[in-house]
Amino acid sequence: MTKIDTSRPETVLPTASHTVGPFYGHALPFRGGEDIAPHGHADTITVHGYVYDGEGNGLPDAMVELWGPDPEGNVPTADGSMRRDPSSGGFLGRNGVEFTGFGRIQTDANGHWYARTLRPGARGHSAPYLSVCVFARGLLVHLFTRIYLPGDDAALAADPLLTRVGDRRDTLIAKDEGNSTYRFDIRLQGEGETVFLEFQ
C-alpha cells in the first residue's frame, strides 16, 4: 500500500509495509550497553566501526552485541549487564565494578557503533577475540562473527579460524588506531563482506 501526497502528485511516500523488519531499536538496547569495562580499568579498550549494507551505506537501525572474556581469558560469570531495581522494576544500569563481558549497542543515524570493554585474553588455541552478533533490518536470522585484535602476529597466524578463511581473514581483524582504540567495520554483503559464522 502506498500513500500519495496529493499536494505534490510526483511524491510517493513509503509506508511501513515497504520496510522489512524486525526493528531492534525499539526495546532491546539498554542505557550503558556500550560501557562493558568497569570504570577506570587499566585494560579498557574502545572498539568501534560501522555496519554497512551491500551498497556501502551505513545502517541506522542495526544492533551489535559483544561478548568477550576477561584479560586472563576467563569467561565472566558476573550478572548485571541490565540490572533492575527490585522494588520499582526500573533500570539501574551496570554497577561499574563487575565485568560481565556482554554489551548491546544500537548504531547511530550513520550506522556507527562503539563499545568500551576489556582487552580479551586468549582461550584455548585461538588468538584473543570478541564474539559478535549482528541484528539488522532485512536479516530475519542474526549473524555471528568475531573481532580479532592486532598486535600478536604469531597468535593470529596460528588461529584455527583465521587459517581456514584464507584471504578473507582481514575482514575479522580490527585496525589499531592507537590509544587502545580499534576500528572494526561490519559489511553485510558485497565487496569486503565480513566473514560470518554458522553454529550447528
Side-chain angles (χ1 to χ4, degrees), residues 8 15-16 24 27 40-41 54 85 126 140-141 150 159 168 187 197:
R8 295 174 48 190
T15 61
Y24 296 101
H41 197 289
D85 184 319
S126 296
L140 301 180
V141 177
D159 184 88
R168 295 186 60 205
R187 298 181 186 279
L197 310 174

Side-chain angles (χ1 to χ4, degrees), residues 148 156-169 172 195 197-198:
Y148 288 90
L156 293 172
D159 184 88
L161 176 65
L162 291 177
T163 302
R164 290 181 64 192
V165 298
D167 61 357
R168 295 186 60 205
R169 70 193 299 272
L172 297 175
V195 171
L197 310 174
E198 182 176 294

Side-chain angles (χ1 to χ4, degrees), residues 85-171:
D85 184 319
S87 58
S88 70
F91 180 71
L92 291 174
R94 298 179 192 269
N95 66 14
V97 177
E98 294 172 302
F99 178 65
T100 65
F102 172 77
R104 182 180 288 158
I105 308 100
Q106 184 175 1
T107 57
D108 67 14
N110 298 312
H112 184 257
W113 64 274
Y114 76 93
R116 286 182 291 273
T117 188
L118 297 184
R119 174 179 277 282
R123 300 185 68 229
H125 299 291
S126 296
Y129 67 86
L130 297 168
S131 296
V132 181
C133 187
V134 182
F135 302 82
R137 67 180 138 155
L139 290 180
L140 301 180
V141 177
H142 46 277
L143 302 172
F144 295 98
T145 190
R146 290 181 178 178
I147 300 174
Y148 288 90
L149 299 177
D152 187 341
D153 292 340
L156 293 172
D159 184 88
L161 176 65
L162 291 177
T163 302
R164 290 181 64 192
V165 298
D167 61 357
R168 295 186 60 205
R169 70 193 299 272
D170 288 344
T171 71

Side-chain angles (χ1 to χ4, degrees), residues 28-49:
L28 292 176
F30 57 95
R31 188 175 72 246
E34 68 280 355
D35 290 316
I36 306 167
H39 298 303
H41 197 289
D43 291 314
T44 299
I45 61 171
T46 298
V47 183
H48 77 104

